Amino acid sequence: MMDAVGTPQSVLVLGGTSDIGLAVARRLVARRPARLVLAARPSPRRDAAVASLSAAGHEVTAVDFDAEDLPGHPGAVDAAFAGGDVDVAVVAFGVLGDQERAWRDHATAVHLMQVNTTAAVSVGVLLASRMAAQGHGTVIALSSVAGERPRRSNFVYGASKAGMDAFYTGLREAVRADGVRVVVVRPGFVTSAMTQGLARVPLSTDPDTVAEHVVRGLALRRETVWTPPALRWVMSALRHLPGPVFRRLPI
Amino acid sequence: MTPRKTLTGWGGTAPTAADVVRPGDADGVAAALARRDPRGVVVRGLGRSYGDAAQNAGGTVLDLTGLRRVLAVDVERATVTAEAGVSLDHLMRTLLPLGLFVPVTPGTRQVTVGGAIAADVHGKDHHVRGSFSRHVAGMDLMLADGSVRHLTPDGSPDLFWATVGGMGLTGVILRAQLRMLPVQTSSVVVDTERVPDLDAVMDRMTTDDERYTYSVAWVDCLARGGALGRSVLTRGWPARLDQLPPGARGRALAFAPRRAPTVPVTSPVPLVNRSAVRVLNEAWYRRAPRERRRDVQGIAEFFHPLDVVESWPRVYGPRGFVQYQLVVPFSAPDAVRRCLQTLHRHDVVVSLAVLKRFGPGTPAPLSFPAPGWTLALDLPVVPDLAGVLDRLDALVLDAGGRVYLAKDARFPASDLHRMYPDIDRWRQVRRSVDPDGVLSSDLSRRLGL
Ligand SMILES: Cc1cc2nc3c(=O)[nH]c(=O)nc-3n(C[C@H](O)[C@H](O)[C@H](O)COP(=O)(O)OP(=O)(O)OC[C@H]3O[C@@H](n4cnc5c(N)ncnc54)[C@H](O)[C@@H]3O)c2cc1C
């Protein structure tokens, strides 16, 4: 069970090798040993994550999960819940893709949307029904500020995140009466394995900082977490800029 | 279809959803148990426990307030048999005119008889009268399989004491026979004094608490340094008829406190705000008389000042609050000081703090009261609260103390046996009457009870 101050006893990370997902999980259980399920494709990275979290005193299991294998999702989520209630599920998988290829190349675009949107919705539906049956649980959906207003520089990724963001924002209301919380997290540019090699931008952040804001937001019962928090106001301003002005911004 | 509802404890934290069933009698309770909800069943009284004791995520919650009949009153022997959903408020309203007072009353009248037994509640008179269970002559408990057992402390000590403080996990208390307290009036004679610091208040209480039936210190939790622990100490006795002003003797047993007004949903002064808490604390301390003797007060005013505003948790806002209540042995009074200092050091807002001395405990493995100092703190939830409370746990554990399960909402399961060393004995009894674990709650899941 999640306690009164936002500390869970069991955490599932879908995309169990994601830097942000793992950072969030680590921070959520930092104060107490917990049961963790890392759902990801088998890989040395996954093994390393299992090993390091086990060494920290947690009970860790790995579940095979491939975001691209949509028909495999129900089985993977069943396996993730096999050990008992899941207090927090972090939906952490996603791909950034090559933007310039993504809007020109059919396969690249479809792949991006499949992983970031379709697969996210797919697990969202499964998590919602599992947690509604439990009568409790928190889904942390890692969205992105990129979904807030499409930009020339990454609108395919933005579109995919806008789709998942809208889904989880709506899901939040659908499952509220079942005791389930949905927290949508909108980070700015996060330096991580996913963004390696890309130039950093202002208000960029790192997985640990994202995790810190998420955990803080949970204790405060926030439903949307902007990280860094200033992005909320920046994006709010950007959303209302006239098109011609927005277009000329170096972002 | 039973309606699904999201429920929280009085602290308003960690909501979960359950099917809420409100039976009107024992058959209804049996029917609800017979549904065999795979996620189990737990009873809810008036939901005045602060944490997650009276909720059961995904399962069934039995709202017992439908079992609300007072079944028998014997004025001469001062005993009452009441259904478990009867509130102490109702008992006071109906029995005070007959000269009978509830044996133990917590800081609110809005608790049920069942809840009072399941949490083994204590009042301001614990140092002389012990906890609620000491005044329970017997009770009927419906087990998970629907059978009913009549329990007395002598006839069935194991199950009786496992049910006392057992947080509803041994079965459903259907009714109880209580030994009431005969009184001449519905008033209390009160001595009030301001005490400048923690040493002084502990000293005062140690010296002459035994003279008083009721004793409690309200601690100004914002006072620091030399003034740490400065308090308003109120102590008293049930008033005798001859202690009332002559004009009031004709209605000596009157008891009709006004029904509580509700707080508007958005309170103008959320108490999480430090300056608001400071102003209130300062005002309370200054308002209290430096010393006043033999003041006559009504029961409601003396015992239940918080009942004046029915939905006062709302003033803490949507995040809710945690109540942390600890007891440490008399041999470790310093733990109380160190807890207050820890809260100050981490700048945690404490909106209410109450100190009192407990007398001897009971044989119940999960009953909270034990001889020593008990400190109860209202703490609005802030981001760093989790870590600070872990530090308090460590102080309490080091001192050989424990926290109160009826108020707990975040204690780690791993340390429970250190606070309640007889817990395995309790688990055994529980398993013997509920092998399948039908009775379960968020608290039992969280703490692995
Ligand atoms: C303002 C305030 C002041 C308080 N002051 C004090 C105090 O001074 N001293 C003190 O000891 N406590 C105090 N409390 C706590 C309160 O007395 C206890 O939590 C009490 O158990 C609440 O009773 P309830 O009927 O609301 O029970 P609930 O909160 O609904 O349930 C509490 C527990 O009792 C179980 N239970 C309830 N009815 C039954 C039944 N019929 N059979 C089996 N199990 C049952 C539930 O399953 C649950 O585990 C205070 C609470 C408030 C809000």
Side-chain angles (χ1 to χ4, degrees):
Chain A
M1 300 301 305
M2 180 86 109
D3 74 9
V5 286
T7 312
Q9 293 178 304
S10 57
V11 179
L12 161 65
V13 186
L14 288 147
T17 55
S18 127
D19 286 335
I20 303 182
L22 284 172
V24 169
R26 251 190 209 106
R27 196 169 272 268
L28 277 171
V29 300
R31 290 173 32 254
R32 291 183 190 168
R35 197 163 51 76
L36 298 172
V37 182
L38 303 184
R41 280 183 299 227
S43 70
R45 253 175 89 77
R46 192 182 80 176
D47 297 341
V50 170
S52 91
L53 286 163
S54 304
H58 304 294
E59 180 193 329
V60 194
T61 48
V63 162
D64 290 350
F65 166 76
D66 182 350
E68 294 173 38
D69 173 22
L70 298 173
H73 285 188
V77 170
D78 282 352
F81 280 74
D85 284 11
V86 170
D87 299 341
V88 176
V90 190
V91 180
F93 58 82
V95 286
L96 192 55
D98 173 341
Q99 159 71 18
E100 291 311 305
R101 238 182 97 181
W103 71 268
R104 289 192 180 95
D105 179 62
H106 174 263
T108 310
V110 169
H111 176 247
L112 198 77
M113 296 305 287
Q114 283 240 312
V115 173
N116 290 357
T117 314
T118 311
V121 170
S122 158
V123 299
V125 169
L126 298 165
L127 291 174
S129 106
R130 280 288 188 165
M131 287 189 169
Q134 287 180 174
H136 76 106
T138 301
V139 179
I140 297 177
L142 293 175
S143 174
S144 164
V145 293
E148 274 293 289
R149 181 166 182 176
R151 285 174 286 154
R152 169 65 186 82
S153 59
N154 71 347
F155 65 90
V156 184
Y157 177 75
S160 71
K161 284 298 186 182
M164 78 90 82
D165 191 302
F167 172 78
Y168 281 97
T169 302
L171 185 67
R172 170 191 299 158
E173 302 313 321
V175 293
R176 192 188 292 281
D178 285 308
V180 182
R181 283 164 74 191
V182 178
V183 179
V184 173
V185 182
R186 298 190 184 130
F189 186 89
V190 183
T191 51
S192 71
M194 187 164 104
T195 57
Q196 217 165 20
L198 296 182
R200 291 177 59 124
V201 298
L203 285 180
S204 74
T205 181
D206 58 83
D208 278 335
T209 310
V210 173
E212 189 186 321
H213 291 142
V214 169
V215 171
R216 195 185 152 79
L218 274 188
L220 296 180
R221 301 197 65 76
R222 297 250 157 81
E223 303 197 312
T224 305
V225 174
W226 298 83
T227 162
L231 273 176
R232 175 175 178 193
W233 311 111
V234 172
M235 290 315 295
S236 167
L238 287 182
R239 226 175 8 243
H240 296 102
L241 274 188
V245 180
F246 185 70
R247 197 176 305 139
R248 266 180 259 123
L249 289 182
I251 50 174
Chain B
M1 269 287 290
T2 43
R4 208 169 203 217
K5 272 196 206 153
T6 55
L7 299 170
T8 68
W10 199 242
T13 51
T16 63
D19 292 345
V20 179
V21 182
R22 189 166 182 272
D25 55 22
D27 289 346
V29 175
L33 286 167
R35 287 176 33 171
R36 291 260 142 192
D37 188 316
R39 289 185 67 90
V41 181
V42 79
V43 171
R44 185 177 180 91
L46 281 163
R48 255 51 174 197
S49 46
Y50 283 79
D52 48 8
Q55 59 198 65
N56 180 23
T60 300
V61 169
L62 279 178
D63 172 350
L64 224 70
T65 56
L67 273 69
R68 54 176 182 189
R69 288 175 304 161
V70 176
L71 301 166
V73 181
D74 184 333
V75 177
E76 233 133 75
R77 291 209 179 87
T79 59
V80 171
T81 305
E83 289 188 323
V86 170
S87 70
L88 297 192
D89 179 63
H90 183 68
L91 282 184
M92 286 180 215
R93 286 175 197 272
T94 44
L95 299 178
L96 265 170
L98 302 176
L100 298 180
F101 187 44
V102 294
V104 163
T105 176
T108 170
R109 293 186 300 279
Q110 305 302 337
V111 305
T112 62
V113 167
I117 298 172
D120 196 15
V121 302
H122 58 270
K124 295 179 177 183
D125 50 2
H126 188 276
H127 60 293
V128 294
R129 280 217 284 270
S131 53
F132 199 83
S133 61
R134 272 206 19 210
H135 311 275
V136 177
M139 59 180 149
D140 287 352
L141 183 73
M142 183 175 282
L143 304 183
D145 64 8
S147 64
V148 178
R149 295 231 193 128
H150 181 68
L151 307 179
T152 59
D154 297 327
S156 34
D158 284 352
L159 193 49
F160 182 91
W161 292 115
T163 301
V164 164
M167 307 309 286
L169 298 169
T170 57
V172 178
I173 302 164
L174 297 174
R175 55 176 60 153
Q177 192 185 23
L178 309 176
R179 285 186 288 266
M180 303 290 281
L181 182 74
V183 289
Q184 295 181 2
T185 76
S186 60
S187 297
V188 182
V189 175
V190 185
D191 286 354
T192 306
E193 52 198 303
R194 284 198 231 161
V195 193
D197 60 50
L198 192 63
D199 281 340
V201 73
M202 287 183 149
D203 208 51
R204 293 295 283 140
M205 293 172 94
T206 309
T207 310
D208 56 6
D209 251 11
E210 300 311 324
R211 285 178 44 220
Y212 294 91
T213 309
Y214 306 114
S215 166
V216 73
W218 170 84
V219 182
D220 175 353
C221 25
L222 289 171
R224 300 185 175 212
L228 183 87
R230 79 173 178 182
S231 302
V232 177
L233 184 54
T234 56
R235 300 186 289 181
W237 307 267
R240 290 187 315 269
L241 194 57
D242 62 0
Q243 287 173 308
L244 295 192
R249 289 181 197 162
R251 46 190 166 84
L253 288 163
F255 181 72
R258 270 182 305 148
R259 307 278 163 177
T262 51
V263 173
V265 174
T266 44
S267 141
V269 191
L271 287 185
V272 282
N273 177 314
R274 179 176 303 277
S275 56
V277 173
R278 186 179 301 283
V279 169
L280 284 174
N281 275 264
E282 194 64 41
W284 186 315
Y285 188 73
R286 296 277 162 229
R287 209 196 63 188
R290 204 171 295 278
E291 177 166 353
R292 185 154 75 207
R293 299 272 164 199
R294 309 296 187 264
D295 190 24
V296 177
Q297 294 182 7
I299 277 175
E301 181 191 354
F302 181 69
F303 288 105
H304 315 115
L306 295 172
D307 281 352
V308 174
V309 270
E310 185 184 316
S311 26
W312 59 273
R314 285 201 195 131
V315 299
Y316 291 102
R319 293 171 209 161
F321 67 104
V322 171
Q323 171 147 134
Y324 190 89
Q325 184 168 1
L326 62 93
V327 59
V328 291
F330 287 124
S331 57
D334 211 41
V336 172
R337 173 187 310 280
R338 293 180 61 197
C339 283
L340 289 172
Q341 286 169 337
T342 301
L343 291 163
H344 284 167
R345 202 165 47 244
H346 292 90
D347 262 339
V348 172
V349 179
V350 183
S351 41
L352 191 75
V354 169
L355 180 71
K356 95 157 254 95
R357 287 166 69 254
F358 276 156
T362 66
L366 290 191
S367 175
F368 167 65
W373 293 101
T374 183
L375 179 68
L377 304 154
D378 264 13
L379 306 160
V381 174
V382 290
D384 304 324
L385 188 59
V388 177
L389 291 181
D390 285 353
R391 285 169 206 265
L392 296 201
D393 290 346
L395 289 170
V396 173
L397 279 167
D398 279 350
R402 56 169 67 142
V403 298
Y404 190 6
L405 294 186
K407 306 203 169 169
D408 177 56
R410 34 69 52 203
F411 191 73
S414 53
D415 285 336
L416 200 61
H417 63 281
R418 295 178 60 197
M419 295 199 165
Y420 292 92
D422 287 340
I423 193 162
D424 283 330
R425 199 157 52 81
W426 178 84
R427 284 197 174 103
Q428 245 174 21
V429 177
R430 167 163 147 73
R431 252 197 310 276
S432 72
V433 289
D434 181 17
D436 304 329
V438 172
L439 295 153
S440 60
S441 61
D442 289 0
L443 176 97
S444 76
R445 258 190 283 273
R446 181 169 58 77
L447 289 177
L449 285 175

